[in-house]
């Protein structure tokens, strides 16, 4: 191709990318008129951008070469625009996402026609200067075909780039990792590198599933992580308490003895004791090092710990007490190593579903199926105050490391943040669409994770309430004490281990394609693609130039290709 034809290609490409940027910014666009209304998708807006680019090239050639044919083309196009207006009547553009709506009169229609005419002139000049023997109409048809085929790759580019148009398209023709994807969708990209190459999007990190633990034969109800962040304990409906190595994902040991499903587990702050609560109304404990059974926590002369299911357990940070909540509507405070009850708290009118102990070990919070939250003084057992602002059961509670904020999750699908000292509501998070099952706070206190019953996990900025990330998984949830690992439940008794990765991390990407992409095997294809794009945003060569990133991107691409092959096999 001649240098001048490269210039023309650059004009058209720039217009195409600008059209893509407009589509990503304003969302859905439509044309409405006396003929009715039609929507314009991202591909159509991209095509419009290409036309404007061609028009700009036409103007460039007309001015630099003094070619009067350019003005003739504009006149013909303007006349055609007026004719179209006279046929279809009034026309308007609408963009609901940004609240935009305006009409197009005869004069603007003439202007649009002039742009199209100038575009035709630009394409004609491009053809004259190139090696291609095509008519303008043939080239436009070829452009339209490419734009339509570009829809998938366009979405990937927009997702990878963030909102900065200057950083969207940097050296796209050099990615070794995406060659097969480009070939499949037959996208032609500009061969000239943009001048701006130094802009790097700010990536705070994402949570990537690195292991899936398979060992339980029924739903996992609870997890607890050892203070050293190397060991995990899980309790399940299969009546087992399993011990896992978090580094390798391997099963270590099974603590047996519960007669019914295990609903709650905890590890003492010193890391020496494993505690579980069960449907059999008992709280049991074992020595972690020797794996020997310790005792059942007993109430008075009863062989049971509660008169109902032991739904939840919590250890105080100083290791002195263990708190349990039960379907018998009571909360009990136990000596950690004696297993004897110190106090029983009454007040809830339905099952106690959640408890949390403040980091300073002075305050106990409980949530119930009676829709209420109660804040207690641990030393005296007195009720500080009572909250009754949720519309359904309070399933989960957490307290921030600074002792200032209480977080509650309810079956009413909301998460509420409260001032722990006063009970004042600070804000409500609404993005979940079904009942909240679990909440976990990162040890730094800056982010929280929440899960709803539909298998959606959301990561939030605790200070701003901004939604940072959405991933796939179930309750229970837990962050490791060092903050590097996040645990969630999976389907069919599985447990998922997540790791927060930065763009420079050496991520151990191994396993099945769904493990690498951080999804379930039967996740909807759209969600699989989103997971792929999230990882590409970290490891794409345009963003991350490290050798580690290149290797990771290759593994991610291979995983996504395996998914596509499986999808094509089943279709």
């Amino acid at each position: 191709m001649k240098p001048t034809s490269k210039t023309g290609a650059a004009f058209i490409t720039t217009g195409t990318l600008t059209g893509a940027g407009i589509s990503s910014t304003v969302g859905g666009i439509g044309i409405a008129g006396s003929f009715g209304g039609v929507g314009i998708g991202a591909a159509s807006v991209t095509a419009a951008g290409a036309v404007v680019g061609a028009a700009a090239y036409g103007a460039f050639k007309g001015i630099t070469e003094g070619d009067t044919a350019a003005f003739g083309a504009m006149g013909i196009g303007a006349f055609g625009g007026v004719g179209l207006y006279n046929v279809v009547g009034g026309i308007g553009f609408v963009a609901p996402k940004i609240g935009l709506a305006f009409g197009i009169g005869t004069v603007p229609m003439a202007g649009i026609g002039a742009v199209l005419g100038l575009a035709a002139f630009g394409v004609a000049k491009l053809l004259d200067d190139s090696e291609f023997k095509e008519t303008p109409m043939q080239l436009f048809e070829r452009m339209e075909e490419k734009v339509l085929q570009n829809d998938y790759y366009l979405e990937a580019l927009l997702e990878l780039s963030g909102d900065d148009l200057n950083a969207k398209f940097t050296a796209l023709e050099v990615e070794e990792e995406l060659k097969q994807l480009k070939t499949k969708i037959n996208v032609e990209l500009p061969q000239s590198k943009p001048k701006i190459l130094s802009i790097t999007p700010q990536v705070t990190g994402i949570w990537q599933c690195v292991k899936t633990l398979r060992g339980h034969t029924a739903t996992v109800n609870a997890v607890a992580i050892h203070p050293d962040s190397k060991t995990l304990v899980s309790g399940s409906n299969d009546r087992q308490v399993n011990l896992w190595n978090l580094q390798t994902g391997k099963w270590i040991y099974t603590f047996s003895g519960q007669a019914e499903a295990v609903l709650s587990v905890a590890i003492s702050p010193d890391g020496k004791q494993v505690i579980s609560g069960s449907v059999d109304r008992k709280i049991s404990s074992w020595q972690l090092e020797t794996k020997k059974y310790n005792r059942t926590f007993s109430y008075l002369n009863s062989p049971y710990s509660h008169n109902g299911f032991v739904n939840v357990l919590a250890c105080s940070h100083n290791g002195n007490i263990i708190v349990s909540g039960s379907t018998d509507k009571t909360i009990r405070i136990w000596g950690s190593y004696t297993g004897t009850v110190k106090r029983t708290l009454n007040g809830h009118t339905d099952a106690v579903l959640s408890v949390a102990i403040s980091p300073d070990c002075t305050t106990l919070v409980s949530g119930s199926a009676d829709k209420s939250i109660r804040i207690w003084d641990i030393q005296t057992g007195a009720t500080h105050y009572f909250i009754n602002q949720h519309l359904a059961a309070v399933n989960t509670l957490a307290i921030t490391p600074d002792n200032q904020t209480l977080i509650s999750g309810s079956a009413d699908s909301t998460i509420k943040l409260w001032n722990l000292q006063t009970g004042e509501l600070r804000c409500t998070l609404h993005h979940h669409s079904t009942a909240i099952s679990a909440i976990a706070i990162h040890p730094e206190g800056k982010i929280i994770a929440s899960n709803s019953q539909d298998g959606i996990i959301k990561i939030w900025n605790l200070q701003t309430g901004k939604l940072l990330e959405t991933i796939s998984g179930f309750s229970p949830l837990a962050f490791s004490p060092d903050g590097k690992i996040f645990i969630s439940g999976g389907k069919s008794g599985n447990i998922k281990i997540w790791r927060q990765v930065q763009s420079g991390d050496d991520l151990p990407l191994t396993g099945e394609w769904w493990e690498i992409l951080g999804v379930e095997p039967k996740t909807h294809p759209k969600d699989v693609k989103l997971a792929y794009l999230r990882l590409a945003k970290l490891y794409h060569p345009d963003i991350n130039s490290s050798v580690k990133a290149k290797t990771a991107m290759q593994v991610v691409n291979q995983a996504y290709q395996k998914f596509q092959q499986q999808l094509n096999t089943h279709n």
Side-chain angles (χ1 to χ4, degrees):
M1 184 179 289
K2 298 179 182 179
T4 51
S5 62
K6 288 184 178 180
T7 303
F11 271 102
I12 294 174
T13 301
T14 302
T16 302
L17 303 185
T18 303
I22 292 171
S23 175
S24 67
T25 301
V26 305
I29 299 177
I31 299 176
S34 58
F35 52 86
V38 293
I40 302 176
S44 300
V45 176
T46 305
V51 170
V52 174
Y57 179 62
F60 170 78
K61 295 295 289 184
I63 293 172
T64 56
E65 298 180 6
D67 196 333
T68 57
F71 303 100
M74 290 175 65
I76 294 172
F79 181 78
V82 173
L84 176 63
Y85 181 85
N86 291 332
V87 172
V88 302
I91 297 178
F93 276 99
V94 292
K97 179 180 176 181
I98 60 173
L100 177 65
F102 60 88
I104 303 175
T106 307
V107 175
M109 281 299 295
I112 292 172
V115 170
L116 293 174
L118 198 55
F121 171 77
V123 171
K125 294 299 293 182
L126 176 61
L127 289 173
D128 289 342
D129 294 333
S130 71
E131 302 170 358
F132 299 110
K133 304 303 180 182
E134 292 180 291
T135 66
M137 185 57 66
Q138 288 173 333
L139 182 56
F140 266 121
E141 289 176 352
R142 187 161 59 85
M143 287 171 57
E144 179 184 20
E145 180 184 359
K146 297 301 180 186
V147 168
L148 292 175
Q149 291 177 346
N150 194 45
D151 184 60
Y152 172 83
Y153 195 64
L154 169 64
E155 183 177 350
L157 293 178
L158 292 176
E159 183 72 23
L160 290 174
S161 62
D163 295 326
D164 190 340
L165 281 175
N166 290 325
K168 281 187 183 296
F169 305 94
T170 54
L172 292 175
E173 74 280 0
V174 299
E175 303 97 74
E176 185 67 26
E177 296 78 23
L178 296 178
K179 273 187 177 180
Q180 293 184 353
L181 183 59
K182 290 179 185 176
T183 301
K184 183 181 296 185
I185 61 178
N186 196 25
V187 174
E188 294 183 0
L189 297 170
Q191 298 301 308
S192 58
K193 295 183 180 180
K195 294 180 180 179
I196 301 175
L197 295 175
S198 60
I199 296 178
T200 303
Q202 297 298 313
V203 180
T204 58
I206 63 170
W207 290 95
Q208 162 69 10
C209 182
V210 295
K211 295 284 183 183
T212 299
L213 309 183
R214 298 176 177 86
H216 286 292
T217 59
T219 300
V220 176
N221 296 314
V223 294
I225 301 177
H226 193 278
D228 65 7
S229 299
K230 296 180 180 179
T231 308
L232 171 73
V233 168
S234 59
S236 166
N237 282 346
D238 63 9
R239 308 179 186 182
Q240 305 299 323
V241 174
N242 282 348
L243 185 66
W244 308 85
N245 184 315
L246 273 182
Q247 309 302 312
T248 64
K250 293 183 178 180
W251 167 87
I252 299 174
Y253 188 78
T254 296
F255 300 96
S256 300
Q258 296 85 354
E260 300 292 342
V262 178
L263 303 179
S264 49
V265 295
I267 298 177
S268 60
D270 62 7
K272 295 181 178 180
Q273 188 175 196
V274 175
I275 308 105
S276 72
S278 172
V279 169
D280 65 7
R281 299 176 286 170
K282 294 180 180 180
I283 299 172
S284 303
S285 68
W286 297 263
Q287 287 294 332
L288 184 57
E289 184 176 354
T290 64
K291 310 298 187 297
K292 290 183 177 180
Y293 178 76
N294 273 342
R295 63 178 60 84
T296 295
F297 289 26
S298 58
Y299 175 65
L300 298 178
N301 295 322
S302 171
Y304 302 105
S305 310
H306 276 277
N307 295 321
F309 303 166
V310 183
N311 290 325
V312 61
L313 292 170
C315 292
S316 63
H317 292 258
N318 59 18
N320 292 337
I321 62 171
I322 294 171
V323 173
S324 60
S326 170
T327 56
D328 65 10
K329 310 176 187 178
T330 69
I331 302 155
R332 286 186 175 155
I333 300 175
W334 308 82
S336 292
Y337 291 93
T338 63
T340 57
V341 66
K342 291 187 172 184
R343 182 173 285 108
T344 298
L345 306 180
N346 295 285
H348 285 295
T349 59
D350 206 335
V352 177
L353 304 177
S354 51
V355 295
I357 302 173
S358 63
D360 63 7
C361 303
T362 63
T363 305
L364 168 66
V365 183
S366 59
S368 170
D370 64 12
K371 309 177 187 179
S372 74
I373 301 170
R374 289 181 177 269
I375 292 79
W376 313 79
D377 184 297
I378 287 183
Q379 296 299 320
T380 66
T383 301
H384 283 317
Y385 57 88
F386 170 83
I387 297 173
N388 193 19
Q389 295 188 38
H390 276 295
L391 302 178
V394 181
N395 292 329
T396 178
L397 293 167
I399 299 174
T400 55
D402 61 5
N403 290 289
Q404 297 301 308
T405 304
L406 166 66
I407 306 170
S408 60
S410 169
D412 63 12
S413 78
T414 66
I415 300 166
K416 294 184 183 291
L417 278 61
W418 315 85
N419 184 313
L420 180 61
Q421 311 307 319
T422 66
E424 177 186 2
L425 179 63
R426 289 181 171 174
C427 70
T428 301
L429 307 179
H430 292 283
H431 286 287
H432 282 289
S433 58
T434 59
I436 308 299
S437 303
I439 289 172
I441 299 179
H442 191 274
E444 293 181 354
K446 296 180 180 179
I447 64 172
I448 64 170
S450 60
N451 165 259
S452 51
Q453 290 182 355
D454 55 6
I456 300 297
I457 297 172
K458 295 185 181 292
I459 311 295
W460 311 80
N461 182 311
L462 185 57
Q463 294 178 333
T464 65
K466 180 181 178 182
L467 180 62
L468 300 177
E469 187 177 357
T470 299
I471 56 180
S472 175
F474 295 84
S475 62
L477 306 178
F479 285 103
S480 63
D482 63 10
K484 295 180 179 180
I485 292 174
F486 173 59
I487 302 296
S488 78
K491 291 183 177 179
S492 304
N494 295 336
I495 301 168
K496 300 170 80 169
I497 301 177
W498 305 78
R499 178 180 170 188
Q500 190 177 33
V501 293
Q502 307 291 338
S503 57
D505 284 355
D506 183 14
L507 183 66
L509 291 169
T510 58
E512 301 292 342
W513 68 262
W514 59 85
E515 294 174 315
I516 294 173
L517 297 180
V519 297
E520 295 287 346
K522 295 183 179 179
T523 299
H524 191 279
K526 182 179 179 181
D527 294 326
V528 175
K529 183 166 71 173
L530 290 176
Y532 165 73
L533 294 175
R534 282 198 299 268
L535 291 174
K537 194 171 184 179
L538 279 181
Y539 300 117
H540 194 280
D542 282 352
I543 297 173
N544 188 338
S545 60
S546 69
V547 176
K548 297 176 183 177
K550 184 175 181 179
T551 301
M553 191 70 224
Q554 290 172 341
V555 174
V556 170
N557 280 333
Q558 291 170 3
Y560 191 63
Q561 288 169 3
K562 289 181 180 179
F563 159 72
Q564 290 179 311
Q565 292 169 0
Q566 175 179 302
L567 192 65
N568 293 333
T569 301
H570 292 312
N571 288 341

